[in-house]
Amino acid sequence: MSGGRGTGPAALRDKAAALDATDPLRHCRDLYVPADGLVAYLDGNSLGRPLRATAQRITNLVAHDWGTRLIRSWDEQWMDLPLRLGDRIGEVCLGAAAGQTVVGDSTTVMLYKLLRAAVAAAGPERPEIVVDTENFPTDRYVAQGIADETGARLVWVEPDPAKGVTPDLVEAALTERTGVVLLSHVAYKSAWIADLPEITRRLHDAGALVLWDLCHSVGVVPSDLDEHDVDLAVGCTYKFLGGGPGAPAFGYVAARHHERLRQPIQGWMGHAEPFVMGPDYRPGAGMRGFISGTPPVLGMVGIEDTVDLIESVGLDAVRDKAARLGRFVIESVDELLAGHGVRVTSPLVDEQRGGHVTLAHPRFREVYRELWAQDVVPDFREPDGIRLGLSPLSTSYAEVAEALVRIEALLSAG
Amino acid sequence: MSGGRGTGPAALRDKAAALDATDPLRHCRDLYVPADGLVAYLDGNSLGRPLRATAQRITNLVAHDWGTRLIRSWDEQWMDLPLRLGDRIGEVCLGAAAGQTVVGDSTTVMLYKLLRAAVAAAGPERPEIVVDTENFPTDRYVAQGIADETGARLVWVEPDPAKGVTPDLVEAALTERTGVVLLSHVAYKSAWIADLPEITRRLHDAGALVLWDLCHSVGVVPSDLDEHDVDLAVGCTYKFLGGGPGAPAFGYVAARHHERLRQPIQGWMGHAEPFVMGPDYRPGAGMRGFISGTPPVLGMVGIEDTVDLIESVGLDAVRDKAARLGRFVIESVDELLAGHGVRVTSPLVDEQRGGHVTLAHPRFREVYRELWAQDVVPDFREPDGIRLGLSPLSTSYAEVAEALVRIEALLSAG
């Protein structure tokens, strides 16, 4: 029995099969390491699946680059890897010309470094940092910490539940004392896509700098950083970029700021001449100066492979499938789950929604636990949200349908 | 023809073979991934070799823990891994009771976090940071950066070329305004072992805190941090702990300081309740509060395996072989290379020398390049040093002998 407007599980599964059959990215699914026993994986926006190529390359890296070439691999390939891979992410996913993106550190640490740099560059006359209350916790906590240590003041923007963080809301928070605005391109809970071009334009008009958090957009929603004159950005690589658990972040700093911005964690790897090991720190030119310590090589393999795959199919095709998967969720909820009182808390319009859809229902905490027990794996978000991550390269319509059918059955079973 | 006191290459190789045959750790060498084509690896103090078990476990981790369990692995094993593995390093290598060691970040970032915490705890009445001029560049650069941003002042200790950083030299630098002393347990160039117990005692008498850098001692020289009342320590895991290229650092903070010390990079992973994602940052109890971002899981496998191996043979046995390998180098230089003017710039007394021996000669820059071309891989250190890293678990006497024979041949041919 269906709890919605009449479309039952069988019809939904048929519809998903038809969509999978004509999906232009369907061949990509076979490129991933098979996940035996997993019925549906809908958490690729927390931890993306590994490509078979990545599994093979990591095995080879341990045996050859690490195990045999050993320290020589630093000379042969690893010293410039953070910059080379940064450039690839920039080229394929960010619309960023070479020399502005670097890979390294955790997202939290990279965010700290770039926000410290931006706050210092904004100067004491502009001590206000604008953040939104629905930004990812690390963004809020890092900003709080930096405010405490630098004397900056946080100015909070409350997103509109029906529109997310709009240009008008941001503009209302701007003053002559605004130094830096820290926002997420795609909201981690709701999937609202912020209007990055318009927000960036307005805050520039007010004399502020922007630091965009691209964690939930990179690899699934284009950001075109150069075109929109973005100042700084950070992002995560273990979601849509396939870097694996705890893979390093990336940081972007527009070339026009390189001379002016200095990050605070002065390590030997960011030195202009790392192996001279001289008495004083002198930051390397461009993005080298934004490196601190030795970069985690094993975590970079999957990023490289996933960026290659995104390039081969085109980021627009990935974006398009994310929108279609989301629309499929929304239509299916309407047909199958609305009668149970399930609400869609993500934007209904494709152009406003990133690579996930969040549904809400008072019983979702227990439903979520049951789903996991059935090897159907979405995410839970406080207080009552089930977040369906839609990774266009690895997620099938059939997986999405199966998750929704199971949710319906669990709600029906009461 | 030999350039030294008469012992030729053949005799040296024979001596090495005899030492290898009676080496109590000789079985360990077979546990490592074979490095085809490599004649002698003497840079395990820059990048340690991978264990076969690690290669296998990383392959399995990608296929199973990452590829199949996916996000569920965070619940099942990874959330506590930085603390669990920290405890293992503490137990086996540092003489540290559980709950005081955590794994994460690069060494540079971990050092920054702990030094910032220590400087803040020392307070404005004690704004002086004591550092030595031969400390590893990152230590000096991080300290400079923190001095610049906090208004602290660096007080430099110049090591005695014949004795390293002695307690008397450190004591001479202490004042009523000394807040923190940052020193390396084993010096990266010379391998001098600092007198950690005595230096810690004297600086405590002066009311200062100590932060020991254990990068070049952990896994080869015991430090007994709890016994000697050390305050803080950091260390590197890709040298003697086998974590692989760019594997994460560890940090140690004595339990008595947990309430008082706060690190500056407030990330969601260090929050008391990471998944509540509430409005304010509240640091987790104990070492959780010293975590910032998502820890790099792939880089922790090798550490775990190597720590297990060290435990199984005993750290004292590892330390003993490091001393014997070093003595073998020193005796062999005396016999084979002294006539060429090669000098040993590391301590000659076993108890004063860590896990490497540095030799000096005006022609070593070119000799080093030639050695690499012959697949004999030591390290070069400015201005004229060849540093022979002696990893007791993976290095044979035969490798050491071969390197010295090749050096002799190159100097003779020169």
Side-chain angles (χ1 to χ4, degrees):
Chain A
M1 196 195 90
S2 152
R5 298 194 313 192
T7 306
L12 191 67
R13 288 188 177 116
D14 287 349
K15 184 177 169 189
L19 288 166
D20 278 326
T22 57
D23 171 14
L25 299 185
R26 65 188 178 282
H27 65 287
C28 296
R29 298 197 67 229
D30 295 332
L31 303 176
Y32 284 85
V33 170
D36 294 338
L38 196 59
V39 174
Y41 189 59
L42 297 163
D43 215 352
N45 59 333
S46 270
L47 177 62
R49 291 174 58 184
L51 288 162
R52 290 173 194 261
T54 299
Q56 191 58 55
R57 285 222 302 143
I58 288 177
T59 293
N60 292 350
L61 188 153
V62 174
H64 184 260
D65 303 355
W66 175 13
T68 303
R69 298 306 298 166
L70 280 148
I71 197 70
R72 296 172 290 186
S73 286
W74 282 106
D75 289 10
E76 290 161 1
Q77 52 172 319
W78 295 335
M79 273 305 284
D80 290 329
L81 183 56
L83 301 167
R84 209 165 57 235
L85 182 55
D87 282 347
R88 285 288 293 156
I89 296 171
E91 176 188 7
V92 175
C93 302
L94 309 180
Q100 302 177 107
T101 313
V102 71
V103 174
D105 301 315
S106 65
T107 308
T108 301
V109 169
M110 184 62 82
L111 180 66
Y112 177 86
K113 288 161 63 169
L114 297 197
L115 187 56
R116 277 281 307 272
V119 166
E125 304 298 311
R126 288 183 168 270
E128 293 180 357
I129 304 172
V130 174
V131 205
D132 77 281
T133 56
E134 291 294 310
N135 211 333
F136 189 74
T138 271
D139 299 70
R140 295 183 273 114
Y141 303 156
V142 163
Q144 285 169 353
I146 288 176
D148 288 346
E149 65 178 287
T150 63
R153 191 173 78 84
L154 299 189
V155 177
W156 292 99
V157 171
E158 191 86 39
D160 182 332
K163 296 183 191 166
V165 178
T166 64
D168 287 348
L169 285 170
V170 175
E171 189 165 13
L174 300 173
T175 74
E176 286 181 349
R177 295 171 63 73
T178 308
V180 186
V181 178
L182 167 63
L183 298 171
S184 283
H185 187 202
V186 170
Y188 82 105
K189 267 202 228 179
S190 67
W192 274 102
I193 301 177
D195 186 347
L196 179 147
E198 181 62 17
I199 291 174
T200 302
R201 195 156 34 234
R202 294 207 202 169
L203 67 85
H204 278 172
D205 287 346
L209 295 168
V210 73
L211 198 173
W212 282 103
D213 179 336
L214 308 179
C215 285
H216 282 274
S217 73
V218 66
V220 71
V221 177
S223 44
D224 298 324
L225 302 183
D226 285 354
E227 183 186 338
H228 301 305
D229 284 329
V230 166
D231 302 295
L232 306 101
V234 297
C236 173
T237 66
Y238 50 74
K239 302 175 189 296
F240 298 109
L241 292 192
F250 65 86
Y252 163 95
V253 180
R256 65 185 176 280
H257 295 307
H258 286 187
E259 285 296 311
R260 183 171 158 231
L261 264 66
R262 285 280 294 267
Q263 60 89 10
I265 308 180
Q266 304 183 159
W268 74 298
M269 275 277 177
H271 195 284
E273 296 178 298
F275 291 101
V276 170
M277 302 189 166
D280 292 311
Y281 181 73
R282 186 158 50 84
M287 294 309 292
R288 176 155 292 284
F290 289 87
I291 300 175
S292 295
T294 307
V297 171
L298 292 173
M300 294 201 246
V301 178
I303 307 171
E304 206 160 25
D305 294 337
T306 304
V307 168
D308 284 350
L309 177 58
I310 293 172
E311 183 179 51
S312 75
V313 301
L315 182 57
D316 290 342
V318 178
R319 169 73 188 115
D320 185 60
K321 185 175 170 189
R324 287 171 190 270
L325 281 165
R327 199 183 316 154
F328 177 64
V329 171
I330 291 164
E331 289 171 1
S332 305
V333 167
D334 198 31
E335 291 164 5
L336 194 70
L337 296 173
H340 285 293
V342 172
R343 294 170 298 120
V344 176
T345 59
S346 294
L348 302 179
V349 177
D350 291 353
E351 290 68 29
Q352 297 172 336
R353 191 181 60 240
H356 60 278
V357 177
T358 302
L359 313 179
H361 188 280
R363 286 179 50 208
F364 267 1
R365 193 186 301 269
E366 67 183 84
V367 168
Y368 155 79
R369 289 209 191 94
E370 280 296 324
L371 289 173
W372 273 45
Q374 295 178 20
D375 291 313
V376 172
V377 180
D379 216 343
F380 179 75
R381 281 292 171 255
E382 295 285 348
D384 60 358
I386 282 183
R387 191 176 69 165
L388 304 174
L390 309 168
S391 294
L393 297 168
S394 60
T395 306
S396 67
Y397 291 90
E399 281 179 289
V400 174
E402 195 56 38
L404 297 170
V405 166
R406 306 277 181 122
I407 290 172
E408 200 279 325
L410 287 164
L411 290 175
S412 290
Chain B
M1 195 195 93
S2 151
R5 298 197 313 193
T7 304
L12 191 66
R13 288 187 177 117
D14 287 349
K15 184 177 170 188
L19 288 165
D20 278 325
T22 57
D23 171 14
L25 299 184
R26 66 188 176 283
H27 65 288
C28 295
R29 298 197 67 230
D30 295 332
L31 303 176
Y32 284 85
V33 170
D36 294 337
L38 196 59
V39 173
Y41 189 58
L42 298 163
D43 215 352
N45 59 333
S46 269
L47 177 62
R49 291 174 57 184
L51 287 162
R52 290 173 194 262
T54 299
Q56 190 58 56
R57 285 221 301 142
I58 288 177
T59 294
N60 293 349
L61 188 153
V62 175
H64 184 262
D65 303 354
W66 175 13
T68 303
R69 298 307 297 165
L70 280 150
I71 197 70
R72 297 172 289 187
S73 286
W74 282 105
D75 288 11
E76 290 162 2
Q77 51 172 320
W78 295 336
M79 273 305 285
D80 291 329
L81 183 54
L83 301 167
R84 210 165 57 236
L85 181 55
D87 282 348
R88 285 288 293 157
I89 296 171
E91 177 188 6
V92 175
C93 301
L94 310 180
Q100 303 177 107
T101 312
V102 72
V103 174
D105 302 315
S106 65
T107 308
T108 301
V109 169
M110 183 63 82
L111 180 66
Y112 177 85
K113 288 161 64 170
L114 297 196
L115 187 56
R116 276 283 305 273
V119 166
E125 305 297 310
R126 289 182 168 271
E128 293 179 358
I129 304 172
V130 174
V131 205
D132 76 282
T133 55
E134 292 293 312
N135 211 333
F136 188 74
T138 269
D139 299 69
R140 294 183 274 113
Y141 302 157
V142 163
Q144 284 169 353
I146 289 177
D148 287 346
E149 65 177 287
T150 63
R153 192 174 76 85
L154 299 188
V155 176
W156 292 99
V157 171
E158 190 85 40
D160 182 332
K163 295 182 191 168
V165 178
T166 64
D168 287 346
L169 285 171
V170 175
E171 189 166 12
L174 301 172
T175 74
E176 286 181 350
R177 296 172 60 75
T178 308
V180 187
V181 178
L182 167 63
L183 298 171
S184 283
H185 187 203
V186 169
Y188 82 104
K189 265 202 232 180
S190 67
W192 273 103
I193 301 176
D195 186 346
L196 179 148
E198 181 63 18
I199 290 173
T200 302
R201 196 157 32 236
R202 294 206 202 171
L203 66 86
H204 279 173
D205 287 346
L209 296 168
V210 73
L211 198 174
W212 282 104
D213 179 337
L214 309 179
C215 285
H216 282 273
S217 72
V218 64
V220 70
V221 177
S223 44
D224 298 322
L225 302 183
D226 285 354
E227 183 186 337
H228 301 306
D229 284 329
V230 167
D231 303 294
L232 306 101
V234 296
C236 173
T237 68
Y238 50 75
K239 302 175 188 297
F240 297 110
L241 292 191
F250 65 86
Y252 163 96
V253 180
R256 66 184 175 279
H257 295 307
H258 286 187
E259 286 297 311
R260 183 169 155 232
L261 263 66
R262 285 280 294 269
Q263 60 90 9
I265 308 181
Q266 304 184 159
W268 75 298
M269 275 278 176
H271 196 283
E273 297 178 297
F275 291 101
V276 171
M277 302 189 167
D280 293 312
Y281 182 73
R282 189 157 47 83
M287 294 310 291
R288 176 155 291 284
F290 289 89
I291 300 175
S292 294
T294 307
V297 170
L298 292 173
M300 294 200 246
V301 178
I303 307 172
E304 206 160 25
D305 294 336
T306 305
V307 168
D308 284 352
L309 177 58
I310 293 172
E311 183 179 50
S312 76
V313 302
L315 182 57
D316 288 343
V318 178
R319 168 73 188 114
D320 185 59
K321 185 175 169 190
R324 287 170 191 271
L325 280 165
R327 200 182 315 154
F328 177 65
V329 171
I330 291 164
E331 290 171 2
S332 303
V333 167
D334 198 33
E335 291 165 3
L336 194 68
L337 297 174
H340 285 293
V342 172
R343 294 169 299 118
V344 175
T345 58
S346 294
L348 302 179
V349 177
D350 292 351
E351 290 68 30
Q352 298 172 335
R353 190 182 59 242
H356 59 277
V357 177
T358 302
L359 313 179
H361 188 279
R363 285 182 49 211
F364 267 180
R365 192 185 300 268
E366 67 183 84
V367 167
Y368 155 79
R369 289 208 191 95
E370 279 296 325
L371 289 172
W372 273 45
Q374 295 179 19
D375 292 311
V376 171
V377 180
D379 216 344
F380 179 75
R381 281 294 171 253
E382 296 284 346
D384 60 358
I386 282 182
R387 191 176 71 164
L388 303 174
L390 309 167
S391 293
L393 297 168
S394 60
T395 306
S396 68
Y397 292 91
E399 281 178 288
V400 175
E402 195 57 38
L404 297 171
V405 166
R406 304 277 181 122
I407 292 172
E408 198 279 325
L410 287 164
L411 290 175
S412 290

